[in-house]
Coordinates of all heavy atoms in Angstrom, one line a residue:
M538 N -40.3 -3.6 25.8 CA -39.2 -3.3 26.8 C -38.5 -4.6 27.1 O -37.3 -4.6 27.1 CB -39.8 -2.7 28.1 CG -39.7 -1.2 28.2 SD -38.1 -0.5 27.6 CE -38.2 1.1 28.3
D539 N -39.2 -5.7 27.3 CA -38.6 -6.9 27.7 C -37.6 -7.4 26.6 O -36.6 -8.0 26.9 CB -39.6 -8.0 28.0 CG -40.2 -7.8 29.4 OD1 -39.7 -7.0 30.1 OD2 -41.2 -8.5 29.7
E540 N -38.1 -7.2 25.4 CA -37.3 -7.6 24.2 C -35.9 -6.8 24.2 O -34.9 -7.4 24.0 CB -38.0 -7.3 22.9 CG -38.4 -8.6 22.2 CD -39.3 -8.3 21.0 OE1 -38.8 -7.7 20.0 OE2 -40.5 -8.5 21.1
I541 N -36.0 -5.5 24.5 CA -34.8 -4.7 24.5 C -33.8 -5.2 25.7 O -32.6 -5.3 25.5 CB -35.1 -3.2 24.7 CG1 -35.8 -2.8 23.4 CG2 -33.9 -2.4 24.9 CD1 -36.5 -1.4 23.5
D542 N -34.5 -5.5 26.8 CA -33.7 -5.9 27.9 C -33.0 -7.2 27.6 O -31.8 -7.4 27.9 CB -34.6 -6.2 29.1 CG -34.9 -4.9 29.9 OD1 -34.2 -3.9 29.5 OD2 -35.8 -4.9 30.7
A543 N -33.7 -8.1 26.9 CA -33.1 -9.4 26.5 C -32.0 -9.2 25.6 O -30.9 -9.8 25.6 CB -34.2 -10.3 25.9
A544 N -32.2 -8.3 24.6 CA -31.2 -8.0 23.6 C -29.9 -7.4 24.3 O -28.8 -7.8 24.0 CB -31.7 -7.0 22.6
N545 N -30.2 -6.5 25.2 CA -29.1 -5.9 25.9 C -28.3 -6.9 26.6 O -27.0 -6.9 26.7 CB -29.6 -4.8 26.9 CG -29.8 -3.5 26.2 OD1 -29.2 -3.2 25.2 ND2 -30.6 -2.6 26.8
E546 N -29.0 -7.8 27.3 CA -28.3 -8.9 28.0 C -27.5 -9.8 27.1 O -26.4 -10.2 27.5 CB -29.4 -9.7 28.7 CG -28.9 -10.3 30.1 CD -30.1 -10.8 30.9 OE1 -30.9 -10.0 31.4 OE2 -30.2 -12.0 30.9
Q547 N -28.1 -10.0 25.9 CA -27.3 -10.9 25.0 C -26.0 -10.2 24.5 O -25.0 -10.8 24.5 CB -28.2 -11.1 23.8 CG -28.8 -12.5 23.8 CD -29.7 -12.8 22.6 OE1 -30.0 -11.8 21.8 NE2 -30.1 -14.0 22.5
V548 N -26.2 -8.9 24.3 CA -25.0 -8.1 23.8 C -23.9 -8.1 24.9 O -22.7 -8.3 24.7 CB -25.4 -6.7 23.4 CG1 -24.2 -5.8 23.3 CG2 -26.2 -6.7 22.2
E549 N -24.4 -7.9 26.2 CA -23.5 -7.9 27.3 C -22.8 -9.2 27.4 O -21.5 -9.3 27.6 CB -24.3 -7.6 28.6 CG -23.6 -6.6 29.5 CD -24.6 -6.2 30.6 OE1 -24.5 -6.9 31.6 OE2 -25.3 -5.3 30.4
Q550 N -23.5 -10.3 27.3 CA -23.0 -11.6 27.4 C -22.0 -11.9 26.3 O -20.9 -12.4 26.6 CB -24.1 -12.7 27.4 CG -23.7 -14.0 28.0 CD -24.9 -15.0 28.0 OE1 -26.0 -14.6 27.8 NE2 -24.6 -16.2 28.2
F551 N -22.3 -11.5 25.1 CA -21.4 -11.7 24.0 C -20.1 -10.9 24.2 O -19.1 -11.4 23.9 CB -22.2 -11.2 22.7 CG -21.3 -11.3 21.5 CD1 -21.1 -12.6 20.9 CD2 -20.7 -10.2 20.9 CE1 -20.3 -12.7 19.7 CE2 -19.9 -10.4 19.8 CZ -19.7 -11.6 19.2
T552 N -20.3 -9.7 24.6 CA -19.1 -8.8 24.9 C -18.2 -9.5 25.9 O -17.0 -9.5 25.7 CB -19.5 -7.4 25.3 OG1 -20.5 -6.9 24.5 CG2 -18.3 -6.4 25.4
R553 N -18.8 -10.0 26.9 CA -18.0 -10.6 28.0 C -17.2 -11.8 27.5 O -16.1 -12.0 27.7 CB -18.9 -11.1 29.2 CG -18.6 -10.3 30.4 CD -19.2 -11.0 31.7 NE -20.5 -11.5 31.5 CZ -21.7 -10.9 31.6 NH1 -21.6 -9.6 32.1 NH2 -22.8 -11.4 31.5
Q554 N -18.0 -12.6 26.7 CA -17.4 -13.8 26.1 C -16.2 -13.4 25.1 O -15.2 -14.1 25.2 CB -18.4 -14.6 25.3 CG -19.2 -15.5 26.2 CD -20.4 -16.2 25.5 OE1 -20.6 -15.9 24.3 NE2 -21.1 -17.0 26.2
A555 N -16.4 -12.4 24.3 CA -15.4 -12.0 23.4 C -14.2 -11.5 24.1 O -13.1 -11.8 23.7 CB -16.0 -10.9 22.4
L556 N -14.4 -10.8 25.2 CA -13.3 -10.2 26.0 C -12.5 -11.3 26.6 O -11.3 -11.4 26.6 CB -13.9 -9.3 27.1 CG -13.0 -8.4 27.7 CD1 -12.6 -7.2 26.8 CD2 -13.6 -7.8 29.0
N557 N -13.3 -12.3 27.2 CA -12.6 -13.5 27.8 C -11.8 -14.2 26.8 O -10.7 -14.7 27.1 CB -13.6 -14.4 28.5 CG -14.1 -13.8 29.8 OD1 -13.5 -13.0 30.4 ND2 -15.3 -14.3 30.2
A558 N -12.4 -14.4 25.6 CA -11.7 -15.2 24.6 C -10.4 -14.4 24.1 O -9.4 -15.0 23.9 CB -12.6 -15.3 23.3
A559 N -10.5 -13.1 24.0 CA -9.4 -12.3 23.6 C -8.3 -12.4 24.7 O -7.1 -12.5 24.4 CB -9.8 -10.8 23.4
L560 N -8.7 -12.3 25.9 CA -7.7 -12.4 27.0 C -7.0 -13.8 27.0 O -5.8 -13.9 27.2 CB -8.4 -12.2 28.4 CG -8.7 -10.7 28.7 CD1 -9.5 -10.6 30.0 CD2 -7.5 -9.9 28.8
A561 N -7.8 -14.8 26.8 CA -7.3 -16.2 26.8 C -6.3 -16.3 25.7 O -5.2 -16.9 25.8 CB -8.4 -17.2 26.7
R562 N -6.7 -15.8 24.5 CA -5.8 -15.8 23.3 C -4.5 -15.1 23.6 O -3.5 -15.6 23.3 CB -6.6 -15.2 22.2 CG -6.5 -16.0 20.9 CD -7.2 -15.6 19.7 NE -7.9 -14.3 19.8 CZ -9.2 -14.2 19.8 NH1 -10.0 -15.2 19.8 NH2 -9.7 -13.0 19.8
R563 N -4.6 -13.9 24.2 CA -3.4 -13.1 24.4 C -2.5 -13.9 25.3 O -1.3 -13.9 25.1 CB -3.8 -11.8 25.0 CG -2.7 -10.7 24.8 CD -3.1 -9.4 25.3 NE -3.4 -9.5 26.7 CZ -3.6 -8.5 27.5 NH1 -3.7 -7.3 27.0 NH2 -3.8 -8.6 28.8
S564 N -3.0 -14.4 26.4 CA -2.1 -15.1 27.4 C -1.5 -16.4 26.7 O -0.4 -16.8 27.1 CB -2.8 -15.4 28.7 OG -3.9 -16.3 28.4
A565 N -2.2 -16.9 25.8 CA -1.8 -18.1 25.1 C -0.7 -17.8 24.1 O 0.2 -18.6 23.9 CB -2.9 -18.8 24.4
V566 N -0.7 -16.7 23.5 CA 0.2 -16.4 22.4 C 1.5 -15.6 22.9 O 2.5 -15.8 22.3 CB -0.4 -15.6 21.2 CG1 -1.4 -16.5 20.5 CG2 -0.9 -14.3 21.6
S567 N 1.3 -14.8 23.9 CA 2.5 -14.0 24.3 C 3.5 -14.7 25.1 O 3.1 -15.3 26.1 CB 2.0 -12.7 25.0 OG 1.4 -13.0 26.2
S568 N 4.7 -14.7 24.7 CA 5.7 -15.3 25.5 C 6.2 -14.4 26.6 O 6.1 -13.2 26.5 CB 6.9 -15.6 24.6 OG 8.0 -16.0 25.4
T569 N 6.6 -15.0 27.7 CA 7.1 -14.1 28.8 C 8.5 -13.6 28.5 O 9.0 -12.7 29.2 CB 7.2 -15.0 30.1 OG1 8.0 -16.2 29.9 CG2 5.8 -15.4 30.6
G570 N 9.2 -14.2 27.5 CA 10.5 -13.8 27.2 C 11.5 -14.6 28.0 O 12.7 -14.4 27.9
I571 N 11.0 -15.4 28.9 CA 11.9 -16.2 29.8 C 11.7 -17.7 29.5 O 10.5 -18.1 29.3 CB 11.5 -16.0 31.3 CG1 11.6 -14.5 31.7 CG2 12.3 -16.9 32.2 CD1 13.0 -13.9 31.7
C572 N 12.7 -18.4 29.4 CA 12.6 -19.8 29.0 C 11.9 -20.6 30.2 O 12.2 -20.4 31.3 CB 14.0 -20.4 28.8 SG 14.0 -22.2 28.5
R573 N 10.9 -21.4 29.7 CA 10.1 -22.2 30.7 C 10.9 -23.2 31.4 O 10.6 -23.6 32.5 CB 9.0 -22.9 29.9 CG 7.8 -23.3 30.6 CD 6.8 -24.0 29.7 NE 7.5 -25.1 29.0 CZ 7.0 -25.7 27.9 NH1 5.9 -25.2 27.4 NH2 7.6 -26.6 27.3
S574 N 12.0 -23.6 30.8 CA 12.8 -24.8 31.3 C 14.0 -24.3 32.1 O 14.1 -24.7 33.3 CB 13.3 -25.6 30.1 OG 14.0 -26.7 30.6
C575 N 14.8 -23.4 31.6 CA 16.0 -23.0 32.3 C 15.9 -21.6 32.9 O 16.8 -21.2 33.6 CB 17.3 -23.1 31.4 SG 17.3 -21.9 30.1
T576 N 14.8 -20.9 32.7 CA 14.5 -19.6 33.2 C 15.5 -18.5 32.8 O 15.6 -17.5 33.4 CB 14.3 -19.6 34.7 OG1 15.6 -19.8 35.3 CG2 13.3 -20.6 35.2
L577 N 16.3 -18.8 31.7 CA 17.1 -17.8 31.2 C 16.4 -17.0 30.1 O 15.4 -17.5 29.6 CB 18.4 -18.4 30.5 CG 19.4 -19.0 31.5 CD1 20.5 -19.7 30.7 CD2 20.0 -17.9 32.4
P578 N 16.7 -15.7 29.8 CA 16.0 -15.0 28.8 C 16.1 -15.7 27.5 O 17.2 -16.2 27.1 CB 16.7 -13.6 28.8 CG 17.5 -13.5 30.0 CD 17.8 -15.0 30.4
I579 N 15.0 -15.7 26.8 CA 15.0 -16.3 25.4 C 15.6 -15.3 24.5 O 15.4 -14.1 24.6 CB 13.5 -16.6 25.0 CG1 12.9 -17.7 25.9 CG2 13.5 -17.1 23.5 CD1 11.4 -17.9 25.8
E580 N 16.4 -15.8 23.5 CA 17.0 -14.9 22.5 C 16.0 -14.0 21.9 O 15.0 -14.4 21.3 CB 17.8 -15.8 21.5 CG 18.9 -16.7 22.0 CD 18.3 -18.0 22.5 OE1 17.1 -18.2 22.7 OE2 19.2 -18.9 22.8
P581 N 16.3 -12.7 21.9 CA 15.4 -11.7 21.2 C 15.1 -12.0 19.8 O 13.9 -11.8 19.3 CB 16.1 -10.3 21.3 CG 17.1 -10.5 22.4 CD 17.5 -12.0 22.4
E582 N 16.1 -12.5 19.1 CA 15.8 -12.8 17.7 C 14.9 -14.0 17.5 O 14.1 -14.1 16.6 CB 17.1 -13.1 16.9 CG 18.0 -14.2 17.4 CD 19.1 -13.6 18.4 OE1 18.8 -12.6 19.1 OE2 20.2 -14.2 18.5
R583 N 14.9 -14.9 18.5 CA 14.0 -16.0 18.5 C 12.5 -15.5 18.7 O 11.6 -16.0 18.1 CB 14.3 -17.0 19.6 CG 14.6 -18.4 19.1 CD 14.9 -19.3 20.3 NE 13.7 -19.9 20.8 CZ 12.8 -20.7 20.2 NH1 13.1 -21.0 18.9 NH2 11.8 -21.2 20.7
L584 N 12.4 -14.6 19.7 CA 11.1 -14.0 20.0 C 10.5 -13.2 18.8 O 9.3 -13.1 18.6 CB 11.1 -13.1 21.2 CG 11.3 -13.9 22.5 CD1 11.6 -12.9 23.7 CD2 10.1 -14.7 22.8
R585 N 11.4 -12.6 18.0 CA 11.0 -11.9 16.9 C 10.4 -12.8 15.8 O 9.4 -12.5 15.2 CB 12.2 -11.1 16.3 CG 11.7 -9.8 15.7 CD 12.8 -8.8 15.4 NE 14.1 -9.4 15.0 CZ 15.2 -9.1 15.7 NH1 15.2 -8.3 16.6 NH2 16.3 -9.7 15.3
V586 N 11.0 -13.9 15.7 CA 10.6 -14.9 14.7 C 9.3 -15.6 15.2 O 8.4 -15.9 14.5 CB 11.7 -16.0 14.3 CG1 11.2 -17.0 13.4 CG2 12.9 -15.2 13.8
N587 N 9.4 -16.0 16.5 CA 8.3 -16.7 17.1 C 7.9 -16.1 18.4 O 8.5 -16.5 19.5 CB 8.7 -18.2 17.3 CG 7.7 -19.1 17.9 OD1 6.5 -18.6 18.1 ND2 8.0 -20.2 18.3
P588 N 6.9 -15.2 18.4 CA 6.6 -14.4 19.7 C 6.0 -15.4 20.7 O 5.9 -14.9 21.9 CB 5.6 -13.4 19.2 CG 5.7 -13.4 17.7 CD 6.2 -14.7 17.3
T589 N 5.6 -16.6 20.4 CA 5.0 -17.5 21.4 C 6.0 -18.4 22.0 O 5.7 -19.3 22.8 CB 3.9 -18.3 20.7 OG1 4.5 -19.2 19.8 CG2 2.9 -17.4 20.0
A590 N 7.3 -18.3 21.6 CA 8.3 -19.2 22.1 C 8.3 -19.2 23.6 O 8.4 -18.2 24.2 CB 9.7 -18.7 21.6
A591 N 8.3 -20.4 24.1 CA 8.3 -20.6 25.6 C 9.6 -21.2 26.1 O 9.9 -21.2 27.3 CB 7.2 -21.5 26.0
L592 N 10.5 -21.6 25.1 CA 11.8 -22.2 25.4 C 12.9 -21.5 24.7 O 12.7 -21.0 23.6 CB 11.8 -23.7 25.0 CG 10.8 -24.6 25.8 CD1 10.8 -26.0 25.1 CD2 11.3 -24.8 27.2
C593 N 14.1 -21.4 25.3 CA 15.2 -20.8 24.6 C 15.7 -21.9 23.5 O 15.2 -23.0 23.5 CB 16.3 -20.5 25.6 SG 17.1 -21.9 26.3
H594 N 16.6 -21.5 22.7 CA 17.1 -22.3 21.6 C 17.6 -23.7 22.2 O 17.3 -24.7 21.6 CB 18.2 -21.6 20.8 CG 18.6 -22.4 19.7 ND1 19.7 -23.1 19.7 CD2 18.1 -22.5 18.4 CE1 19.9 -23.7 18.5 NE2 18.9 -23.4 17.7
D595 N 18.4 -23.6 23.2 CA 19.0 -24.8 23.7 C 18.0 -25.8 24.3 O 18.1 -27.0 24.0 CB 20.0 -24.5 24.8 CG 21.3 -23.8 24.3 OD1 21.5 -23.8 23.1 OD2 22.1 -23.3 25.1
C596 N 17.1 -25.3 25.0 CA 16.1 -26.1 25.6 C 15.1 -26.7 24.6 O 14.7 -27.8 24.7 CB 15.3 -25.4 26.7 SG 16.3 -25.0 28.1
L597 N 14.9 -25.9 23.5 CA 14.0 -26.4 22.5 C 14.7 -27.6 21.8 O 14.0 -28.6 21.5 CB 13.7 -25.3 21.5 CG 12.7 -25.6 20.4 CD1 11.3 -25.6 20.9 CD2 12.9 -24.7 19.2
A598 N 16.0 -27.4 21.5 CA 16.7 -28.5 20.9 C 16.7 -29.8 21.8 O 16.5 -30.9 21.3 CB 18.2 -28.0 20.7
E599 N 16.9 -29.6 23.1 CA 16.9 -30.7 24.0 C 15.5 -31.3 24.0 O 15.4 -32.6 24.0 CB 17.2 -30.2 25.4 CG 18.5 -30.6 25.9 CD 18.8 -30.0 27.2 OE1 18.1 -30.3 28.2 OE2 19.8 -29.2 27.3
E600 N 14.4 -30.5 24.0 CA 13.1 -31.1 24.0 C 12.8 -31.8 22.8 O 12.1 -32.9 22.8 CB 12.1 -29.9 24.2 CG 10.7 -30.4 24.6 CD 9.8 -29.3 25.1 OE1 9.8 -29.1 26.3 OE2 9.1 -28.7 24.3
E601 N 13.3 -31.3 21.7 CA 13.1 -32.0 20.4 C 13.8 -33.4 20.4 O 13.2 -34.3 19.9 CB 13.7 -31.1 19.3 CG 13.4 -31.6 17.8 CD 12.0 -31.7 17.5 OE1 11.2 -31.0 18.1 OE2 11.6 -32.5 16.6
I602 N 15.0 -33.4 20.9 CA 15.7 -34.7 21.0 C 14.9 -35.7 21.9 O 14.7 -36.9 21.6 CB 17.1 -34.5 21.6 CG1 18.0 -33.8 20.6 CG2 17.8 -35.8 22.0 CD1 19.3 -33.2 21.2
E603 N 14.4 -35.2 23.0 CA 13.6 -35.9 24.0 C 12.4 -36.5 23.3 O 12.0 -37.6 23.5 CB 13.3 -35.0 25.1 CG 13.1 -35.6 26.5 CD 14.1 -36.7 26.8 OE1 15.4 -36.4 26.8 OE2 13.7 -37.8 27.2
R604 N 11.7 -35.6 22.5 CA 10.5 -36.0 21.8 C 10.7 -37.1 20.8 O 10.0 -38.0 20.7 CB 9.9 -34.7 21.1 CG 8.4 -34.8 20.9 CD 8.0 -33.4 20.4 NE 8.6 -33.0 19.2 CZ 8.2 -33.4 17.9 NH1 7.0 -34.1 17.8 NH2 8.8 -33.1 16.8
Q605 N 11.8 -36.9 20.0 CA 12.2 -37.9 19.0 C 12.4 -39.3 19.7 O 12.0 -40.3 19.2 CB 13.5 -37.5 18.3 CG 13.3 -36.2 17.5 CD 12.6 -36.4 16.2 OE1 12.4 -37.5 15.7 NE2 12.1 -35.3 15.7
R606 N 13.1 -39.2 20.9 CA 13.4 -40.5 21.6 C 12.1 -41.1 22.1 O 12.0 -42.3 22.0 CB 14.3 -40.1 22.8 CG 14.9 -41.3 23.5 CD 15.8 -40.9 24.6 NE 16.9 -40.0 24.2 CZ 17.6 -39.2 25.0 NH1 17.2 -39.1 26.2 NH2 18.6 -38.5 24.6
T607 N 11.2 -40.3 22.6 CA 9.9 -40.8 23.0 C 9.1 -41.5 21.9 O 8.6 -42.6 22.1 CB 9.1 -39.7 23.6 OG1 9.9 -39.0 24.6 CG2 7.9 -40.2 24.4
I608 N 9.2 -40.9 20.7 CA 8.5 -41.4 19.6 C 9.1 -42.8 19.2 O 8.4 -43.7 19.0 CB 8.6 -40.4 18.4 CG1 7.7 -39.2 18.7 CG2 8.1 -41.1 17.1 CD1 8.0 -38.0 17.7
K609 N 10.4 -42.8 19.2 CA 11.1 -44.1 18.9 C 10.7 -45.2 19.9 O 10.5 -46.3 19.5 CB 12.6 -43.9 18.8 CG 13.1 -43.4 17.5 CD 14.6 -43.2 17.5 CE 15.0 -42.2 16.3 NZ 16.2 -41.5 16.6
L610 N 10.7 -44.8 21.2 CA 10.4 -45.8 22.2 C 9.0 -46.3 22.1 O 8.7 -47.4 22.3 CB 10.6 -45.2 23.6 CG 12.1 -45.0 24.0 CD1 12.1 -44.3 25.3 CD2 12.8 -46.4 24.2
G611 N 8.1 -45.3 21.7 CA 6.7 -45.6 21.6 C 6.4 -46.6 20.5 O 5.5 -47.4 20.5
R612 N 7.3 -46.6 19.5 CA 7.1 -47.5 18.3 C 7.5 -48.9 18.6 O 7.2 -49.9 17.9 CB 7.8 -46.9 17.1 CG 7.0 -45.9 16.4 CD 7.8 -45.4 15.2 NE 7.1 -44.2 14.6 CZ 7.8 -43.4 13.8 NH1 9.0 -43.6 13.4 NH2 7.2 -42.4 13.3
R613 N 8.4 -49.0 19.6 CA 9.0 -50.4 19.9 C 7.9 -51.3 20.3 O 7.0 -51.0 21.1 CB 10.0 -50.2 21.0 CG 11.2 -51.2 20.7 CD 12.2 -51.0 21.8 NE 13.2 -50.0 21.3 CZ 14.2 -49.5 22.1 NH1 14.4 -50.0 23.3 NH2 15.1 -48.7 21.6
Ligands
ZN1479 ZN1 16.2 -22.7 28.2

């Protein structure tokens, strides 16, 4: 009996972990459809290509420029 209880507990724990992992994954991959930076809606065609997009096209371009600049400064 104890063995079955332990097994059940293990299954329960595993299920909980799998569920939590799935939830974490889902919240990590799904975009809100709203730009994180300017809070304007992200272009639907962008979301179709990249469902995890957190920035609209303009803000992504700006962030990319900013990133490049940081890299250059870092090398100095
Ligand atoms: Zn934006």
Side-chain angles (χ1 to χ4, degrees):
M538 257 324 193
D539 280 352
E540 248 174 70
I541 293 168
D542 279 350
N545 275 341
E546 213 165 286
Q547 259 179 350
V548 169
E549 225 171 86
Q550 204 178 342
F551 179 77
T552 309
R553 244 196 322 269
Q554 278 172 355
L556 198 72
N557 284 339
L560 284 173
R562 226 176 5 248
R563 202 180 59 175
S564 61
V566 295
S567 64
S568 170
T569 55
I571 302 292
C572 176
R573 198 180 58 196
S574 181
C575 68
T576 67
L577 288 173
I579 298 170
E580 297 85 349
E582 57 268 32
R583 236 182 90 61
L584 286 173
R585 214 168 27 236
V586 176
N587 179 10
T589 69
L592 293 169
C593 70
H594 183 264
D595 288 352
C596 291
L597 187 78
E599 250 174 66
E600 195 164 271
E601 185 63 22
I602 291 164
E603 210 42 54
R604 206 170 60 85
Q605 299 283 344
R606 194 179 296 158
T607 310
I608 290 167
K609 273 181 201 154
L610 284 174
R612 277 185 189 158
R613 213 177 271 175

